[in-house]
Amino acid sequence: MNETMWRCDQLRAGQLYNRMMFDTREEAEEFMQKMRQVEPDQTISVEEIEARKVWN
């Protein structure tokens, strides 16, 4: 298991709409690019987080 995970948050009107977790930055960025094409009105951010903060 990786020590790092990547969190991708989608915001609509300033509120969290969806949150996805990815194992690699490349997966998160690919998802972000696809969502920007489909829903350009959303704000999407990618953030690196420690896996231990996600899983017990």
Side-chain angles (χ1 to χ4, degrees):
M1 179 176 186
N2 295 336
E3 292 181 22
T4 302
M5 301 229 18
W6 296 87
R7 179 172 65 201
C8 187
D9 288 345
Q10 293 173 269
L11 303 172
R12 182 178 286 160
Q15 298 202 6
L16 183 63
Y17 176 71
N18 190 21
R19 175 172 281 164
M20 303 284 293
M21 302 298 292
F22 297 94
D23 291 329
T24 66
R25 182 180 184 109
E26 291 78 22
E27 290 174 329
E29 301 244 348
E30 183 179 321
F31 173 77
M32 184 175 61
Q33 289 174 357
K34 287 180 183 178
M35 290 310 299
R36 281 191 175 142
Q37 291 175 358
V38 175
E39 302 215 28
D41 63 326
Q42 289 186 4
T43 301
I44 303 171
S45 66
V46 174
E47 179 182 0
E48 178 182 11
I49 60 171
E50 295 178 43
R52 66 181 175 86
K53 293 183 178 179
V54 178
W55 312 113
N56 291 339

